[in-house]
Amino acid sequence: MIKEIPILIENGTIVTDESSFKGDILIEEGKISDIGSDLQLPGGGVEVIDASDLYVFPGGVDAHVHMELPLGQGVFSADNFESGTFAAVKGGTTSIIDFVTPERGQPLLQALKERKELAAKSLCDYGFHMTITSWNDNTPTEMKKCVDKEGIASFKLYMAYRDTIGLGDAAVIKVMDAAANLNALVMVHCENSDIIGFLQKKFLAKGKKSPGYHPRSRPPEVEKEAVVRALMLAKMTNCPLYIAHVSTKEAAAEIAAARESGQKVLAETCPHYLLLDEKKYGLPGFAGAAYVMSPPLRAGEHAGALWKAIKSESLQVVSTDHCSINMKDRQKLGAGDFSKIPNGVPGVEDRLSLLYTYGVLQNRISINQFVEITSTAPAKILGLYPRKGTIKRGSDADILIWDPTNKGIISTKTQGFICDTNIYEGFPVKGKPHIVITNGKIAYEDDIIKLVKGSGKYLSREAFLMEQF
Ligand code: URP
Ligand code: ZN
């Protein structure tokens, strides 16, 4: 095997979740081998990267993405694992966690095998949460195999979408109980499925079919009720809980209260809930459909509360729920019925630039907290730390060298992911990746991706450790 030339990143401002300091980083054989100043260099030459005036962050970890997601009628979300991970790396994210969503009754490991085959073309490292879409006698044994043999220590449940992939409380309790016995985390999409169905039917019966009725059929109470229920069920089963894509101030407050009471609960929000609001659904014609995701965008006051919840660490992670969908596909499936518009919006590429610009530069979060919510906390929660999510000796050399001075405007014309719209179109951003290193190799430099299809590796993850939080 040809030995890789070591890389020396010189004189950068190294930023972790805990501190920021000037220093050098030596990378050998895919790992960070040393950090400091005046490092002892190996013989035989090194590639030197001058990082003066640049930040050096651990590569981003996106805990929640959906690449090539089947949306029904043979339609898939626009990004496959190759284009989606291309966009991730372009934006500074070096690990993604996607989902396995078995057909009801399908063995979990068979569904995992199929998903692994699709994901093998990823450019960066990837892992999965396992979704439990139905319960049968084999489920506990299969869940154990997911944890022990496949390194999947997180299970996803939907309280919404009961007709297809969602579970009722009886099954939720069984999954939480089994996960608790395995020391695994349960990630829950919290929305009350029955009331959504009721409201959807009510609006449709009155001829109210446009995208504007998507948020009206999923008001804040729909999320809050399900969050309260998930918290209670997790408490009764002693199951560590991770609440996905928190969108409301009420849900954030319930999570904060549960944490204060000592419950094992962690939670994420997404850039779209922090930076966009429900007015988008009022765009003319079908244009609001570009913003259809669940839970939906909210009134402006929620975003302020979510930023505060991040600042006070009652929300620990900002991930994207990346699921890019072309307008033609939204039209095809949902033109005459808002309840059939496929759900999902992109984000994997712009997460870091958006959070740096609208979080760090607007003094909503510190630069160390930026690293925490985009990299360290998701790595810890998902059993990847300290391999990922930090800059330490022995960690994987997944490193983001960040140019804080670069100014840009987000646009579909320059985006790396596949989608005919960009929900952040026209957003000014300051700061972007200058160089991205994945597993010790330069993956992206000055707008050019250097990775080939399939460079990413499957991430087998460790068990969940609540003591870290
Ligand atoms: O609206 C959302 N959250 N779409 C992404 C796909 C999913 O099932 O979470
Ligand atoms: Zn999702």
Side-chain angles (χ1 to χ4, degrees):
M1 218 165 77
I2 304 164
K3 208 167 172 294
E4 283 164 26
I5 301 178
I7 297 175
L8 178 70
I9 305 171
E10 238 180 6
N11 207 28
T13 301
I14 300 168
V15 185
T16 71
D17 60 319
E18 288 171 338
S19 61
S20 313
F21 55 96
K22 270 271 178 201
D24 305 338
I25 298 173
L26 184 63
I27 297 170
E28 293 175 278
E29 299 296 313
K31 303 273 179 197
I32 296 173
S33 60
D34 208 355
I35 305 165
S37 51
D38 298 326
L39 300 180
Q40 185 86 29
L41 298 183
V46 290
E47 179 172 353
V48 178
I49 298 172
D50 178 10
S52 312
D53 304 322
L54 302 171
Y55 286 122
V56 184
F57 302 135
V61 177
D62 195 335
H64 185 157
V65 303
H66 305 266
M67 306 303 172
E68 48 195 298
L69 183 73
L71 302 169
Q73 295 186 35
V75 176
F76 284 78
S77 63
D79 272 313
N80 60 30
F81 279 92
E82 184 182 0
S83 65
T85 52
F86 172 97
V89 173
K90 183 167 178 276
T93 287
T94 51
S95 301
I96 57 156
I97 310 295
D98 199 283
F99 296 80
V100 181
T101 310
E103 298 282 326
R104 282 186 168 157
Q106 185 185 21
L108 305 185
L109 297 183
Q110 188 193 84
L112 171 63
K113 184 168 173 284
E114 290 169 12
R115 199 79 182 137
K116 274 189 182 172
E117 280 163 17
L118 291 177
K121 52 188 175 294
S122 296
L123 271 62
C124 68
D125 291 354
Y126 57 91
F128 301 106
H129 309 278
M130 175 60 72
T131 310
I132 307 296
T133 56
S134 62
W135 180 269
N136 63 50
D137 290 347
N138 297 327
T139 310
T141 319
E142 292 181 32
M143 286 174 68
K144 183 163 167 47
K145 281 190 189 151
C146 287
V147 175
D148 294 347
K149 293 198 184 344
E150 299 289 348
I152 298 183
S154 52
F155 296 93
K156 169 87 180 277
L157 301 179
Y158 290 87
M159 287 175 140
Y161 313 130
R162 283 281 296 285
D163 296 343
T164 51
I165 53 175
L167 297 185
D169 289 357
V172 169
I173 292 165
K174 286 180 183 156
V175 176
M176 285 183 170
D177 182 46
N181 289 329
L182 294 167
N183 205 20
L185 190 68
V186 170
M187 175 183 204
V188 185
H189 176 132
C190 293
E191 287 186 299
N192 184 312
S193 197
D194 293 324
I195 198 70
I196 294 168
F198 167 78
L199 292 171
Q200 286 175 335
K201 280 202 194 91
K202 193 174 104 174
F203 289 127
L204 290 169
K206 290 183 183 157
K208 296 178 171 175
K209 298 177 180 171
S210 67
Y213 289 93
H214 172 69
R216 290 182 174 96
S217 64
R218 305 174 107 100
E221 294 87 335
V222 166
E223 179 182 68
K224 180 189 163 179
E225 183 280 330
V227 166
V228 170
R229 196 157 28 101
L231 284 166
M232 185 274 288
L233 299 177
K235 188 173 172 185
M236 296 297 130
T237 51
N238 197 27
C239 176
L241 179 64
Y242 180 94
I243 300 191
H245 41 51
V246 174
S247 69
T248 59
K249 60 180 184 187
E250 292 85 358
E254 293 294 340
I255 293 161
R259 284 174 60 77
E260 267 163 42
S261 78
Q263 186 167 352
K264 292 188 261 184
V265 55
L266 302 155
E268 66 175 21
T269 187
C270 309
H272 41 270
Y273 301 122
L274 296 167
L275 298 169
L276 301 171
D277 70 46
E278 64 184 5
K279 291 202 275 298
K280 294 289 182 198
Y281 298 116
L283 288 171
F286 196 66
Y291 302 86
V292 167
M293 85 291 283
S294 294
L297 298 176
R298 305 297 187 183
E301 83 227 34
H302 292 276
L306 295 175
W307 278 114
K308 283 193 188 129
I310 292 172
K311 178 98 183 155
S312 65
E313 298 182 10
S314 51
L315 298 177
Q316 299 76 36
V317 175
V318 179
S319 43
T320 61
D321 200 3
H322 179 93
C323 181
S324 66
I325 303 174
N326 283 320
M327 280 303 259
K328 70 170 171 36
D329 293 325
R330 298 202 196 254
Q331 285 273 5
K332 180 175 168 188
L333 298 177
D337 176 347
F338 72 86
S339 72
K340 296 201 165 62
I341 299 170
N343 285 205
V345 291
V348 76
E349 179 170 339
D350 297 315
R351 180 178 66 133
L352 298 176
S353 284
L354 288 167
L355 291 172
Y356 182 79
T357 306
Y358 297 96
V360 178
L361 298 183
Q362 297 198 358
N363 293 319
R364 288 172 163 136
I365 51 172
S366 71
I367 197 156
N368 306 96
Q369 209 181 5
F370 166 79
V371 169
E372 166 101 38
I373 61 175
T374 59
S375 179
T376 315
K380 283 183 176 172
I381 290 169
L382 298 175
L384 288 169
Y385 183 88
R387 180 172 155 203
K388 310 283 188 192
T390 193
I391 296 181
K392 280 195 195 314
R393 280 190 199 90
S395 295
D396 284 356
D398 285 359
I399 290 177
L400 167 55
I401 305 178
W402 186 260
D403 176 359
T405 58
N406 186 286
K407 286 186 184 168
I409 306 270
I410 294 180
S411 166
T412 38
K413 295 196 184 80
T414 49
Q415 75 196 16
F417 63 92
I418 299 174
C419 197
D420 54 11
T421 45
N422 189 321
I423 57 170
Y424 304 106
E425 187 73 39
F427 266 59
V429 278
K430 192 163 177 207
K432 77 176 253 236
H434 168 51
I435 293 177
V436 181
I437 296 174
T438 56
N439 290 306
K441 295 193 192 71
I442 294 184
Y444 170 91
E445 185 168 11
D446 290 331
D447 292 322
I448 296 174
I449 291 269
K450 308 197 166 195
L451 289 171
V452 293
K453 182 174 171 176
S455 321
K457 292 196 295 270
Y458 173 69
L459 291 169
S460 172
R461 300 181 280 115
E462 303 292 323
F464 170 71
L465 280 178
M466 188 68 199
E467 298 76 63
Q468 299 175 107
F469 293 91

